[in-house]
mmCIF file of all heavy atoms in Angstrom:
data_model
loop_
_atom_site.group_PDB
_atom_site.id
_atom_site.type_symbol
_atom_site.label_atom_id
_atom_site.label_comp_id
_atom_site.label_asym_id
_atom_site.label_seq_id
_atom_site.Cartn_x
_atom_site.Cartn_y
_atom_site.Cartn_z
ATOM 1 N N ALA A 237 -24.109 11.766 24.712
ATOM 2 C CA ALA A 237 -25.141 10.732 24.764
ATOM 3 C C ALA A 237 -25.276 9.965 23.453
ATOM 4 O O ALA A 237 -25.833 8.864 23.436
ATOM 5 C CB ALA A 237 -26.485 11.358 25.143
ATOM 6 N N THR A 238 -24.775 10.516 22.352
ATOM 7 C CA THR A 238 -24.885 9.818 21.074
ATOM 8 C C THR A 238 -23.989 8.592 20.996
ATOM 9 O O THR A 238 -24.195 7.718 20.153
ATOM 10 C CB THR A 238 -24.506 10.749 19.907
ATOM 11 O OG1 THR A 238 -23.103 11.074 19.989
ATOM 12 C CG2 THR A 238 -25.351 12.022 19.911
ATOM 13 N N SER A 239 -22.959 8.532 21.815
ATOM 14 C CA SER A 239 -21.952 7.459 21.785
ATOM 15 C C SER A 239 -21.191 7.410 20.468
ATOM 16 O O SER A 239 -20.563 6.395 20.136
ATOM 17 C CB SER A 239 -22.609 6.088 22.050
ATOM 18 O OG SER A 239 -23.229 6.071 23.318
ATOM 19 N N ALA A 240 -21.225 8.509 19.709
ATOM 20 C CA ALA A 240 -20.499 8.559 18.432
ATOM 21 C C ALA A 240 -19.034 8.929 18.620
ATOM 22 O O ALA A 240 -18.251 8.801 17.672
ATOM 23 C CB ALA A 240 -21.169 9.569 17.500
ATOM 24 N N PHE A 241 -18.652 9.360 19.828
ATOM 25 C CA PHE A 241 -17.313 9.896 20.036
ATOM 26 C C PHE A 241 -16.630 9.243 21.232
ATOM 27 O O PHE A 241 -17.245 9.044 22.281
ATOM 28 C CB PHE A 241 -17.380 11.417 20.260
ATOM 29 C CG PHE A 241 -18.074 12.149 19.151
ATOM 30 C CD1 PHE A 241 -19.398 12.552 19.294
ATOM 31 C CD2 PHE A 241 -17.426 12.406 17.958
ATOM 32 C CE1 PHE A 241 -20.052 13.224 18.271
ATOM 33 C CE2 PHE A 241 -18.070 13.060 16.926
ATOM 34 C CZ PHE A 241 -19.383 13.471 17.079
ATOM 35 N N ALA A 242 -15.353 8.946 21.054
ATOM 36 C CA ALA A 242 -14.559 8.421 22.154
ATOM 37 C C ALA A 242 -14.202 9.526 23.140
ATOM 38 O O ALA A 242 -13.966 9.260 24.322
ATOM 39 C CB ALA A 242 -13.283 7.772 21.615
ATOM 40 N N ARG A 243 -14.157 10.783 22.633
ATOM 41 C CA ARG A 243 -13.852 11.909 23.512
ATOM 42 C C ARG A 243 -14.623 13.128 23.056
ATOM 43 O O ARG A 243 -14.618 13.476 21.884
ATOM 44 C CB ARG A 243 -12.349 12.210 23.503
ATOM 45 C CG ARG A 243 -11.954 13.373 24.423
ATOM 46 C CD ARG A 243 -10.454 13.589 24.417
ATOM 47 N NE ARG A 243 -10.063 14.729 25.226
ATOM 48 C CZ ARG A 243 -8.821 15.195 25.306
ATOM 49 N NH1 ARG A 243 -7.842 14.600 24.642
ATOM 50 N NH2 ARG A 243 -8.538 16.246 26.057
ATOM 51 N N VAL A 244 -15.300 13.765 24.005
ATOM 52 C CA VAL A 244 -16.011 15.031 23.770
ATOM 53 C C VAL A 244 -15.527 16.007 24.823
ATOM 54 O O VAL A 244 -15.676 15.766 26.018
ATOM 55 C CB VAL A 244 -17.539 14.857 23.868
ATOM 56 C CG1 VAL A 244 -18.231 16.208 23.679
ATOM 57 C CG2 VAL A 244 -18.046 13.844 22.857
ATOM 58 N N GLU A 245 -14.931 17.122 24.373
ATOM 59 C CA GLU A 245 -14.371 18.103 25.309
ATOM 60 C C GLU A 245 -14.713 19.503 24.835
ATOM 61 O O GLU A 245 -14.687 19.789 23.639
ATOM 62 C CB GLU A 245 -12.845 17.942 25.373
ATOM 63 C CG GLU A 245 -12.157 18.966 26.265
ATOM 64 C CD GLU A 245 -10.641 18.895 26.175
ATOM 65 O OE1 GLU A 245 -10.116 17.917 25.606
ATOM 66 O OE2 GLU A 245 -9.970 19.835 26.657
ATOM 67 N N GLN A 246 -15.026 20.365 25.782
ATOM 68 C CA GLN A 246 -15.259 21.768 25.447
ATOM 69 C C GLN A 246 -13.969 22.548 25.693
ATOM 70 O O GLN A 246 -13.410 22.524 26.788
ATOM 71 C CB GLN A 246 -16.398 22.357 26.274
ATOM 72 C CG GLN A 246 -16.866 23.714 25.771
ATOM 73 C CD GLN A 246 -18.327 23.957 26.063
ATOM 74 O OE1 GLN A 246 -18.833 23.523 27.084
ATOM 75 N NE2 GLN A 246 -19.006 24.654 25.169
ATOM 76 N N LEU A 247 -13.481 23.213 24.653
ATOM 77 C CA LEU A 247 -12.260 24.000 24.757
ATOM 78 C C LEU A 247 -12.547 25.340 25.425
ATOM 79 O O LEU A 247 -13.708 25.719 25.610
ATOM 80 C CB LEU A 247 -11.659 24.211 23.365
ATOM 81 C CG LEU A 247 -11.313 22.931 22.600
ATOM 82 C CD1 LEU A 247 -10.826 23.267 21.194
ATOM 83 C CD2 LEU A 247 -10.275 22.107 23.338
ATOM 84 N N ALA A 248 -11.487 26.059 25.772
ATOM 85 C CA ALA A 248 -11.648 27.329 26.482
ATOM 86 C C ALA A 248 -12.501 28.326 25.708
ATOM 87 O O ALA A 248 -13.238 29.119 26.290
ATOM 88 C CB ALA A 248 -10.270 27.927 26.769
#
Side-chain angles (χ1 to χ4, degrees):
T238 67
S239 300
F241 305 100
R243 181 178 177 185
V244 177
E245 177 187 348
Q246 192 150 35
L247 301 176

